[in-house]
Amino acid sequence: MSRTVYVNGDYLPEEEARISIFDRGFLMADGVYEVTTVLGGKLVDFDGHAKRLERSLKELEMDAPCTMDELLAIHRALIEKNAITDGTVYLQVTRGNPGDRDFAWPEPPVKPTLVMFTTAKPGFADSPLSKTGIEVITVPDIRWGRRDIKTVQLLYPSMAKMMAKKAGVSDAWFVEDGLVTEGYSNNAYIVKNGQIITRALSNDILHGITRAAVLRFAREAQMEVVERSFTPEEAYGADEAFCTSASSFVMPIVKIDAATIGAGTPGPVATRLREIYIDEMRKSAI
């Protein structure tokens, strides 16, 4: 059955969804996005995603298409119309359709484009990969310098995903100036001597909503968190490694490049953090 999607105020069958060929999201990747998890028919950490969306829009001097309360209502309507129990809601805001192609954006601004759709992922909180862990490779980080803005400029992350697939692994970690930045769609962590180590927030990495929650839960559980950069070589010798994102929660990593991490199985820190995160998010979902 066709999904119901949202396009600029209308709920439509996905086959009928259309935007202009002059939309700047299509022509210039001039847009931002968010992906919010749905568990048990409820939205996980919607407030965090809404605040990051507002920040991304502000950094790009882009108008919001609606209020955050209106955005929440659209999310809930799409969940209901598509009968989503577990899955995600994707939203994308672009600078809209100025009527022609130009590197300069329109002044005064035109109406932003807002599109949204759901993806059903029944039972994805119980992913089998969380029991076995995943393997990753490292690749050079050649993205633009404002990775803290969640833009739709995802060509190189898509290329990194294909590099990982061709290598027969699940993910790729970016490396810049000899240091790990993040995964192609997630934040990166290692565990050594009981310390959870992850790169500090800056323009170099996405300010992950799941990252913020997981680190908060880790500290509440009396785990030691150190926010600093680390090298691939340090990761090879780690006791554990994992990544976090809205769609994978906390995902253990058992191999990086040719190096087996720890015992080659999900470690106790990542396993416990995944349990805590999913439990707490189910409780607070709206």
Side-chain angles (χ1 to χ4, degrees):
M1 186 173 68
S2 172
R3 281 178 292 187
T4 296
V5 302
Y6 179 92
V7 181
N8 291 332
D10 296 321
Y11 295 93
L12 303 166
E14 61 182 275
E15 299 83 1
E16 298 178 15
R18 301 287 187 274
I19 63 167
S20 168
I21 64 168
F22 298 116
D23 192 277
R24 286 183 58 87
F26 174 65
L27 293 177
M28 302 289 185
D30 190 357
V32 299
Y33 77 103
E34 287 289 337
V35 182
T36 303
T37 300
V38 180
L39 287 177
K42 295 182 178 181
L43 292 158
V44 170
D45 214 342
F46 176 82
D47 186 57
H49 288 282
K51 288 178 179 177
R52 185 171 63 184
L53 175 63
E54 290 180 317
R55 180 182 183 276
S56 294
L57 292 170
K58 181 180 179 182
E59 291 297 308
L60 294 181
E61 302 177 31
M62 193 181 301
D63 291 340
C66 60
T67 68
M68 293 303 111
D69 286 342
E70 290 169 335
L71 200 63
L72 174 58
I74 299 168
H75 276 73
R76 286 175 165 162
L78 283 174
I79 291 170
E80 180 178 356
K81 290 177 184 294
N82 292 292
I84 301 296
T85 301
D86 293 338
T88 60
V89 181
Y90 176 93
L91 76 87
Q92 180 170 307
V93 182
T94 78
R95 209 178 299 270
N97 166 25
D100 210 337
R101 181 179 182 274
D102 194 335
F103 277 85
W105 59 62
E107 295 177 327
V110 299
K111 184 178 179 180
T113 295
L114 173 62
V115 298
M116 295 174 56
F117 60 83
T118 59
T119 300
K121 296 183 178 182
F124 80 134
D126 300 316
S127 168
L129 288 176
S130 68
K131 306 296 191 300
T132 62
I134 64 171
E135 299 181 16
V136 308
I137 58 171
T138 57
V139 301
D141 197 340
I142 58 173
R143 298 171 297 162
W144 81 315
R146 290 303 308 274
R147 302 150 196 167
D148 55 308
I149 306 172
K150 198 171 177 69
T151 74
V152 298
Q153 300 179 56
L154 296 174
L155 179 57
Y156 188 63
S158 295
M159 293 174 70
K161 172 64 174 179
M162 295 311 297
M163 293 177 208
K165 286 189 70 173
K166 290 176 182 177
V169 302
S170 299
D171 204 339
W173 276 9
F174 293 125
V175 178
E176 183 176 53
D177 298 328
L179 300 169
V180 174
T181 49
E182 58 190 341
Y184 71 81
S185 64
N186 49 60
N187 292 117
Y189 310 74
I190 59 173
V191 180
K192 187 67 176 179
N193 298 326
Q195 292 183 332
I196 299 169
I197 303 166
T198 190
R199 194 176 180 111
L201 294 181
S202 68
N203 291 352
D204 296 332
I205 65 170
L206 182 68
H207 299 191
I209 303 306
T210 306
R211 175 192 185 278
V214 167
L215 293 186
R216 182 175 73 252
F217 296 145
R219 290 182 172 109
E220 290 174 355
Q222 304 304 307
M223 298 180 185
E224 185 179 359
V225 175
V226 178
E227 295 185 65
R228 66 164 175 84
S229 301
F230 58 87
T231 66
E233 291 73 22
E234 189 176 3
Y236 301 155
D239 301 323
E240 296 183 43
F242 62 94
C243 60
T244 63
S245 71
S247 58
S248 65
F249 310 119
V250 178
M251 182 59 67
I253 293 170
V254 296
K255 191 173 186 179
I256 303 173
D257 293 330
T260 298
I261 308 304
T265 57
V269 173
T271 300
R272 181 56 182 147
L273 282 176
R274 182 180 177 88
E275 292 172 349
I276 294 172
Y277 176 80
I278 292 175
D279 183 54
E280 293 298 323
M281 289 298 101
R282 286 190 186 278
K283 291 177 184 177
S284 62
I286 62 173

